[in-house]
Every structure is written in structure tokens, then in C-alpha cells.
């Protein structure tokens, strides 16, 4: 089997695909299956599929019932985020180069063309989504917005790499402050409950991720606390919210809270959903982080203690950084899960992309047909988000793995 | 009692004669197991004490009690005039003055060598970065690895890692250094370089307690050698007397096994 073959395509195929009669049969059967399924898929996407249902309702999938005359707010927010993202990328690249020069290790000297190609490969699922969206639109505006975003990223990247180091701190604080500015701006005079579609998904997922992480961290530390009262509260919180189905919590946020508080005191449905997703995810994050804390050898904490560091410094500088690096895969897995679980808001009547995908088939023009097309498009939206998170987490793991073991 | 003979009294200090470390009637239990029983030990300023004994004899536990990585159950431990109590400030004051080197190095794998060394001086002693780094480079020079400053611990050999660990402990400018089997996890060809760094430290007048089985090192550097078994100090004496004229059967047995 392990005969040496010349390193050619034919040689490779002979060794791996046609080594003996059984291999040959398996190769032909699977090959035929792949060809048939591939052909059918392509025929559906490009020939038989009726994508009008998506084309006509594109706005609903993307932003639900958000008023069309307020959409400029979304455009502004998206461009600001693109600029800040680009600037951060520029700052990080500049700092990494400076660190590499200090250490005498090779700096990143790729040409601009190579950089752009590498970036395109890195974010190809997002690019695919943009292409699909633009192909489904009939006006020029979305294309202009997409171009403006690209420009904002590029300008941010160039500026971020060029400005002096002391400005950087502004941009490290900005991502934390930005949500507090952008979210009220986006909501404007409308209130949260007008949010829908992909925008709602992103809002719920982003806010819950950002909020559940620190909360989960505190719970994990609380569970290891020496004080019985704190430990009991943390354990109780974690075990209760892990033990209840998420859909029950989502329903309760809408139905049951009214028994305890007057309606006038309660925030809108979207905010309540945010709180539910945050609490639920925090309980899981807490257990993931606790596992990470246990994975750090005891000697690490002891070495730091022996240097006279106070317990909270030992945690913050030595134990936690190593613990978190060890749990990136599990943590991102939890966040991907959260991202998809936001579809559960259909039970309290919010319009997420999945609800939209179902609802539009009931329009008179479509009369319960084209369900496949509608679902495939909704699935694409979620897949692009989940897969991008997964790829970025793998990159992060590789980067942070530098110099260990 | 003379300080030159071999006996079981470990309270006769060497070094300059002033007392740096004092253990008085120290007991330590792990559950029902008594790890230390009635330990009395004094270590003088600039004295080097080597502690040896079979595994499970309480050597590591004893030096881990000295900087409170383990808590003793009875008796008194006084370091440079500060008694270890439940007062967190006392514990941290003692730890600042007491460097420790571990068998498994315990360098911080997520930080570069220079950051490993400068972290505590900057965080605990509040040294400015530039000053901390200048001192770190001096220390790396002293342990003979100045060129490794920007590397991560995982990129170094075991001997180099242990020398970084020594530099990291010294960066806090401790008055006492505790070594917990510093060469036991090393490949044989790397033991020499670590012992050399320790020898140099002893010559510079550092007060040291070294748990080790490197008897050549003990003979050459130690002012006193302490033999422990079953949580007790069995025998203590100058290196010369200890190796040539042990009194206790347990000591003789141990020496015959490792020499």
C-alpha cells in the first residue's frame, strides 16, 4: 500500500483512490454521488430555485420592521464600526511589528497585494454573503454602502498603523464605550422592539456575549471563593439556569415576569430577551471558565504568590490569562450556540430571520411555496456568522499559542 | 554542644551569627498525617543550609512553610524579625523578602523571559518599567543567558528555564532564597549550569536553604547539612562532619544509598 509513487496527480490518485479493486469501486460510487448531488444543488441554486421570495423580502430578513426612513442610522453605525475595526487592525499590526523588531524575530513583510488576498481568504464567508446580498438587490444604494464600509475599513487600517502610540489607548477603550453610544443611536426614538431580522440576531448575540463573559467570569470566581455565602449564591445561580430549558426562560421573560412586577416597570421584549440570553450563557461560561482555572497547574499560582503578589494580581496576571487561553474553543462554541439560539425569540413574537423565513411564505404572492429557498437563505445568514466566529477563534488560538510547550 | 560536631540540634546558627530564619516547635499536618513534627531550626544571615533526606521526609513541606505556601499548625516561624501569622500583610512582607525556586521551574508560559522577571518588581515593588528591565538584564547576565530575554519559557532548555527562575526570584531583591530540589527535574548535562549559578549566589553572601540531593554541591557550598526523615530533623552538622562522621543509623543508610 505504501509504495512510493512519483509526486504527480496520477501517482497520488493511484495510491489514494485506486489502490485495489475495493478502493476503485468505493471511489466510483462516492464520486458518482458527489457529482449527482452537486449538480442538483447547483441546478437548484441557479436554475430551478425561485429566489423572488428572498429578493422581495430582503429587508425583512435583514432588519425586520425597522422603519425604512430610519435606515440611515444603521448605515452610519455600520460605517463607524467598520472604521474602528480597521483602526484596531492597524494598531495591532503596528504593535506586533514593533514587538517583532524588539525581539529580533521576522516582521510581517507581505506585499499589499498578498495582504489583501490573505484577508479575502480569511473572511471569505463574509465576502460570499456580501456578494449574495448585492446580487439580490436591485438598487445601487446597498452597493454604495458596501463600498463605503470597505473604504472605512481601509482608512481606519492606514490611520491606525500610522498614528503615534499614545493615541492607541483611545481605541482600546472605544470598543467598550461604543455600544453605549451606538445602541441608543440606532434605537433612536423607536424603542428596541422595532428591531428585527438579522439586526435583531446580531444585537441579541453581541450584547449577550459581551455581558455574559464578565458575569460568567465572576460566577466562576465566586464558585471557587472561600466565602460560603458567595459560593452558595454562585452555585445556585449556575445550577438553576443550566437546569432550565432556554425556551422556558425566554417564554417566562415575556409571560411570567408580569406576575411579579407591574408591566409599566418592565423593559421591552428585546431587552428582556437580552437579559435572559445573558444570564443563561453566563451560567455556561462560568463552568467553562472554572474548567480553565482548574487546567492551570498549581505551581503557577504558587510561583506568583512566592514573589509576593497579592491574590487578585495572581489571578489577573498569571492564572486567568492561561485559563482563558485554554478555554477559547469551548467559549467560542458557547457563543456560536448562543448566536443560533437567539432564533428562540420567535416564541415571544419577535421577528428574527427564521421567523421571517417562515412568515414570508404565507404572503399571498407565494402561498406556502418557496419554503426551501426562504429557509436556505436564513440558514446562510446564520452559517456565515457561526463559521466566521469559528475561524477567528482558531486563528486566535494559533496566535496565543506562541511560545508555549 | 559544639557547632562542629554532628548532632540533632539545628539551632546553632552559622553565617555572620545573626539569625535570619527561625523555626520553633513547628508541626504540620496533612489530615491525619504529620508531615513535620517539632522542627527547631535557625538559619544565620549569609548562611547556606542544605536539607536532604528520603522523599516524604518533610523537606519540601518545611521550606514551603517558611514562605507560607503551606500553613504550619503549631509553633512559630520568624523571618528577619517578622513572624508568620494569619495577617495577610505579614505573609506578603515575608514573601517579598523570600525568593523561591521550584523543582518544576514554574515560569509563566504566557510571558516572555523579561516579563517573567519584571512582573513582580513592577507590580509589587512598583518599580518603573525601564528600571525593572535594566535590572532584569543584569540578572540574566549574571545567570549567563543575556540573549534569551525576549523568548518565551517554552523556547528554552530546562537548565536555562531554571536559571531564569533564579533570576526571577532575585529580581525582588530577597534577603533569603529557598530552593526546592532545583535540579531534580533537569537532564544531567544541565545540572552543572544551575548549580554554578547557585554557587555564585552563595559566594555573594545570600542566605539560602537548599533542598537537594546534590552532595557535591552540599560539600562545597553548605555551611551546615540537615538530614530529615519522617518529618523530623534527624541530624545536622557541618558538611565535612556530616559526610564523614554521621551518628544516626538512618543517616548512614541514606548516605550509603545516594553516594
Amino acid at each position: 500500500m505504501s509504495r512510493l509513487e512519483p509526486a504527480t496527480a496520477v501517482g497520488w490518485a493511484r495510491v489514494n483512490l485506486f489502490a485495489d479493486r475495493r478502493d476503485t469501486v468505493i471511489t466510483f460510487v462516492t464520486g458518482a454521488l458527489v457529482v449527482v448531488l452537486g449538480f442538483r444543488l447547483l441546478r437548484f441554486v441557479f436554475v430551478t430555485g425561485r429566489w423572488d421570495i428572498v429578493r422581495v423580502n430582503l429587508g425583512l430578513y435583514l432588519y425586520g420592521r425597522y422603519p425604512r426612513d430610519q435606515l440611515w442610522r444603521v448605515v452610519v453605525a455600520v460605517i463607524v464600526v467598520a472604521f474602528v475595526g480597521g483602526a484596531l487592525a492597524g494598531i495591532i499590526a503596528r504593535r506586533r511589528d514593533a514587538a517583532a523588531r524588539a525581539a529580533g524575530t521576522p516582521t510581517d513583510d507581505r506585499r499589499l497585494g498578498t495582504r489583501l488576498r490573505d484577508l479575502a481568504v480569511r473572511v471569505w464567508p463574509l465576502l460570499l454573503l456580501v456578494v449574495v446580498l448585492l446580487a439580490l438587490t436591485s438598487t445601487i444604494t446597498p452597493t454604495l454602502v458596501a463600498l463605503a464600509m470597505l473604504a472605512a475599513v481601509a482608512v481606519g487600517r492606514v490611520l491606525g498603523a500610522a498614528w503615534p502610540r499614545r493615541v492607541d489607548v483611545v481605541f482600546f477603550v472605544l470598543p467598550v464605550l461604543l455600544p453605549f453610544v451606538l445602541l441608543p443611536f440606532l434605537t433612536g426614538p423607536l424603542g428596541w422592539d422595532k428591531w428585527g431580522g438579522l439586526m435583531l440576531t446580531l444585537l441579541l448575540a453581541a450584547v449577550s456575549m459581551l455581558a455574559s463573559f464578565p458575569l460568567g467570569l465572576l460566577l466562576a470566581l465566586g464558585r471557587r471563593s472561600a466565602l460560603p455565602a458567595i459560593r452558595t449564591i454562585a452555585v445556585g445561580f449556575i445550577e438553576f439556569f443550566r437546569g432550565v430549558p432556554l425556551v422556558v426562560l425566554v417564554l417566562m421573560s415575556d409571560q411570567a415576569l408580569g406576575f411579579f412586577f407591574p408591566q409599566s416597570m418592565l423593559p421591552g421584549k428585546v431587552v428582556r430577551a437580552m437579559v435572559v440570553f445573558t444570564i443563561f450563557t453566563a451560567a455556561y461560561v462560568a463552568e467553562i471558565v472554572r474548567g480553565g482555572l482548574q487546567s492551570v497547574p498549581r505551581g503557577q499560582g504558587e510561583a506568583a504568590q512566592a514573589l509576593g503578589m497579592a491574590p487578585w494580581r495572581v489571578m489577573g496576571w498569571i492564572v486567568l490569562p492561561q485559563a482563558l487561553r485554554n478555554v477559547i474553543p469551548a467559549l467560542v462554541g458557547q457563543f456560536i450556540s448562543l448566536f443560533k439560539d437567539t432564533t428562540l425569540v420567535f416564541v415571544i413574537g419577535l421577528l428574527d430571520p427564521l421567523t421571517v423565513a417562515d412568515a414570508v411564505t404565507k404572503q399571498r404572492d407565494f402561498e406556502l411555496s418557496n419554503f426551501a429557498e426562504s429557509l436556505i437563505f436564513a440558514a446562510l445568514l446564520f452559517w456565515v456568522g457561526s463559521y466566521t466566529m469559528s475561524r477567528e477563534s482558531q486563528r486566535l488560538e494559533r496566535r496565543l499559542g506562541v511560545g508555549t510547550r | 554542644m559544639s557547632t562542629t560536631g554532628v548532632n540533632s540540634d539545628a539551632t546553632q546558627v552559622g553565617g555572620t551569627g545573626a539569625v535570619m530564619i527561625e523555626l520553633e516547635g513547628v508541626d504540620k499536618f496533612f489530615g491525619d498525617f504529620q508531615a513535620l513534627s517539632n522542627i527547631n531550626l535557625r538559619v544565620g544571615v549569609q548562611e547556606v543550609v542544605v536539607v536532604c533526606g528520603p522523599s516524604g521526609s518533610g523537606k519540601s513541606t518545611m521550606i514551603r512553610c517558611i514562605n507560607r505556601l503551606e500553613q504550619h499548625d503549631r509553633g512559630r516561624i520568624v523571618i528577619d524579625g517578622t513572624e508568620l501569622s494569619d495577617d495577610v500583610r505579614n505573609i506578603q512582607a515575608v514573601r517579598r523578602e523570600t525568593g523561591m525556586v521550584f523543582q518544576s521551574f514554574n515560569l509563566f508560559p504566557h510571558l516572555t523571559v523579561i516579563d517573567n522577571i519584571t512582573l513582580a518588581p513592577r507590580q509589587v515593588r512598583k518599580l518603573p518599567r525601564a528600571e525593572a528591565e535594566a535590572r532584569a538584564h543584569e540578572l540574566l547576565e549574571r545567570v549567563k543567558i543575556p540573549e534569551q530575554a525576549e523568548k518565551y519559557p517554552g523556547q528554552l532548555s530546562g537548565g536555562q528555564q531554571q536559571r531564569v527562575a533564579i533570576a526571577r526570584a532575585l529580581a525582588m531583591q530577597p534577603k533569603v532564597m529557598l530552593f526546592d530540589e532545583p535540579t531534580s527535574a533537569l537532564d544531567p548535562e544541565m545540572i552543572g549550569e544551575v548549580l554554578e549559578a547557585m554557587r555564585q549566589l552563595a559566594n555573594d553572601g545570600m542566605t539560602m536553604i537548599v533542598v537537594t540531593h546534590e552532595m557535591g554541591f552540599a560539600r562545597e557550598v553548605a555551611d551546615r547539612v540537615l538530614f530529615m526523615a519522617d518529618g523530623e530533623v534527624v541530624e545536622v552538622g557541618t558538611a565535612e562532619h556530616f559526610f564523614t562522621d554521621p551518628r544516626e543509623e538512618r543517616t548512614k543508610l541514606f548516605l550509603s544509598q545516594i553516594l
Side-chain angles (χ1 to χ4, degrees):
Chain A
M1 289 297 249
S2 59
R3 271 178 307 153
L4 280 179
E5 286 283 344
T8 62
V10 176
W12 181 89
R14 195 173 291 156
V15 172
N16 292 292
L17 299 177
F18 304 105
D20 55 25
R21 185 181 298 165
R22 205 186 51 148
D23 269 16
T24 311
V25 171
I26 293 175
T27 300
F28 275 116
V29 171
T30 357
L33 216 61
V34 168
V35 168
V36 170
L37 289 179
F39 172 74
R40 296 205 155 207
L41 178 68
L42 289 177
R43 192 179 57 173
F44 178 76
V45 170
F46 291 106
V47 186
T48 54
R50 290 282 160 266
W51 298 97
D52 281 349
I53 190 167
V54 179
R55 204 185 305 275
V56 173
N57 294 301
L58 191 60
L60 277 179
Y61 290 97
L62 295 184
Y63 32 77
R65 282 189 291 251
Y66 197 86
R68 299 302 181 259
D69 59 354
Q70 299 290 322
L71 272 180
W72 60 272
R73 292 174 186 271
V74 179
V75 173
V76 171
V78 153
I79 287 176
V80 169
V81 169
F83 173 75
V84 173
L88 279 173
I91 291 171
I92 290 169
R94 165 163 52 75
R95 287 181 161 237
R96 190 175 294 144
D97 270 3
R101 266 194 301 277
T105 48
T107 51
D108 182 0
D109 53 359
R110 289 172 300 162
R111 292 164 177 281
L112 181 61
T114 323
R115 278 172 193 275
L116 289 178
R117 199 195 60 206
D118 290 351
L119 183 65
V121 171
R122 177 176 164 188
V123 299
W124 76 264
L126 283 176
L127 291 183
L128 173 73
L129 180 64
V130 171
V131 169
V132 168
L133 289 181
L134 293 183
L136 287 167
T137 54
S138 41
T139 59
I140 187 78
T141 327
T143 312
L144 290 179
V145 173
L147 289 176
M149 275 176 69
L150 277 180
V153 172
V155 171
R157 172 73 175 74
V158 171
L159 284 179
W163 69 49
R165 198 183 171 105
R166 64 195 142 76
V167 188
D168 291 356
V169 64
V170 178
F171 273 75
F172 289 132
V173 178
L174 214 51
V176 183
L177 297 181
L178 215 52
F180 296 100
V181 181
L182 281 187
L183 291 179
F185 170 75
L186 277 170
T187 306
L190 321 161
W192 296 100
D193 288 354
K194 294 284 181 200
W195 285 53
L198 182 64
M199 244 175 84
L200 175 65
T201 301
L202 292 176
L203 171 76
L204 289 173
V207 170
S208 306
M209 276 179 217
L210 289 176
S212 68
F213 180 68
L215 183 58
L217 208 64
L218 287 179
L219 286 170
L221 295 176
R223 193 165 190 166
R224 285 165 55 108
S225 167
L227 304 173
I230 293 181
R231 202 166 52 232
T232 311
I233 292 172
V235 171
F237 186 101
I238 293 168
E239 296 305 339
F240 176 76
F241 286 106
R242 285 207 312 166
V244 182
L246 179 53
V247 70
V248 171
L249 293 176
V250 176
L251 270 174
M252 278 175 63
S253 78
D254 193 41
Q255 303 294 328
L257 284 182
F259 298 139
F260 303 107
F261 306 101
Q263 279 295 330
S264 58
M265 265 179 64
L266 290 173
K269 285 181 178 189
V270 170
V271 174
R272 276 185 265 170
M274 278 179 201
V275 173
V276 163
F277 286 120
T278 301
I279 288 175
F280 184 80
T281 308
Y284 280 87
V285 168
E287 286 300 278
I288 291 171
V289 171
R290 189 168 68 98
L293 291 173
Q294 281 169 356
S295 76
V296 178
R298 258 185 58 185
Q300 288 292 311
E302 288 182 350
Q305 279 176 14
L307 288 164
M309 291 169 72
W312 64 272
R313 285 191 207 272
V314 175
M315 182 54 72
W317 284 94
I318 304 302
V319 179
L320 209 48
Q322 297 184 57
L324 292 182
R325 186 181 60 190
N326 292 348
V327 297
I328 292 171
L331 218 46
V332 175
Q334 191 60 44
F335 287 155
I336 288 175
S337 198
L338 162 68
F339 180 61
K340 293 180 296 184
D341 285 348
T342 56
T343 49
L344 286 177
V345 293
F346 82 90
V347 298
I348 55 172
L350 291 176
L351 263 189
D352 83 299
L354 191 64
T355 323
V356 172
D358 178 48
V360 290
T361 60
K362 294 171 183 124
Q363 290 167 338
R364 199 191 298 156
D365 292 346
F366 303 104
E367 296 180 331
L368 300 179
S369 63
N370 301 110
F371 204 56
E373 288 88 341
S374 187
L375 273 181
I376 284 176
F377 180 71
L380 175 75
L381 295 179
F382 285 102
W383 176 79
V384 167
S386 304
Y387 188 49
T388 302
M389 277 192 262
S390 169
R391 286 168 64 91
E392 289 303 311
S393 100
Q394 283 169 27
R395 257 180 70 90
L396 194 62
E397 273 172 64
R398 275 196 305 269
R399 278 239 183 275
L400 295 181
V402 172
T404 60
R405 274 179 285 278
Chain B
M1 263 181 268
S2 79
T3 54
T4 48
V6 183
N7 52 48
S8 62
D9 178 12
T11 57
Q12 309 276 337
V13 299
T16 63
V19 178
M20 178 65 91
I21 302 171
E22 179 168 12
L23 282 73
E24 203 180 285
V26 171
D27 287 351
K28 166 72 188 169
F29 293 85
F30 291 113
D32 289 337
F33 175 72
Q34 183 158 15
L36 295 178
S37 50
N38 194 27
I39 301 284
N40 291 289
L41 168 69
R42 286 193 189 142
V43 178
V45 173
Q46 301 200 342
E47 189 179 14
V48 178
V49 173
V50 163
V51 182
C52 59
S55 64
S57 60
K59 307 163 293 200
S60 292
T61 306
M62 183 181 76
I63 66 168
R64 286 163 61 86
C65 281
I66 292 175
N67 68 351
R68 241 317 147 106
L69 288 182
E70 305 288 355
Q71 192 173 339
H72 58 287
D73 296 309
R74 260 198 296 272
R76 278 162 27 98
I77 298 179
V78 183
I79 317 292
D80 196 23
T82 309
E83 180 174 353
L84 280 175
S85 61
D86 287 331
D87 189 335
V88 182
R89 275 165 308 177
N90 273 0
I91 295 173
Q92 278 175 18
V94 165
R95 285 175 177 164
R96 279 197 298 272
E97 307 302 336
T98 315
M100 184 148 189
V101 176
F102 299 84
Q103 177 176 359
S104 48
F105 325 141
N106 294 348
L107 292 180
F108 308 131
H110 60 302
L111 300 176
T112 59
V113 165
I114 195 87
D115 288 341
N116 262 279
I117 300 175
T118 55
L119 181 66
R122 289 174 60 195
Q123 293 286 323
V124 181
R125 294 251 191 247
K126 308 288 175 207
L127 280 193
R129 177 196 274 266
E131 199 179 327
E133 290 191 350
R135 191 189 289 170
H137 283 291
E138 271 169 38
L139 287 168
L140 285 173
E141 199 88 48
R142 215 161 121 188
V143 295
K144 304 200 171 59
I145 36 173
E147 68 288 349
Q148 313 288 1
E150 300 298 333
K151 288 197 181 156
Y152 285 89
Q155 295 166 305
L156 305 182
S157 74
Q160 291 173 328
Q161 290 194 47
Q162 194 60 299
R163 283 183 283 160
V164 172
I166 293 173
R168 177 177 70 178
L170 291 177
M172 287 295 286
Q173 302 193 313
K175 294 180 176 151
V176 178
M177 284 286 283
L178 307 173
F179 292 85
D180 189 1
E181 304 206 26
T183 56
S184 308
L186 293 175
D187 290 334
E189 76 271 18
M190 294 172 180
I191 292 177
E193 61 197 45
V194 172
L195 291 180
E196 175 53 36
M198 291 164 62
R199 197 173 291 132
Q200 197 192 334
L201 197 57
N203 290 339
D204 292 347
M206 177 63 76
T207 307
M208 293 163 60
I209 299 183
V210 185
V211 174
T212 185
H213 292 155
E214 293 295 329
M215 290 301 135
F217 175 82
R219 214 174 287 229
E220 195 183 333
V221 181
D223 295 308
R224 277 187 297 162
V225 181
L226 196 81
F227 177 71
M228 287 180 74
D230 305 322
E232 296 174 335
V233 176
V234 175
E235 205 159 348
V236 62
T238 60
E240 191 189 335
H241 281 82
F242 182 82
F243 289 110
T244 54
D245 185 25
R247 303 246 169 108
E248 297 275 335
E249 278 311 311
R250 283 187 289 186
T251 319
K252 288 176 187 165
L253 181 66
F254 177 74
L255 288 175
S256 71
Q257 281 165 344
I258 61 163
L259 286 179

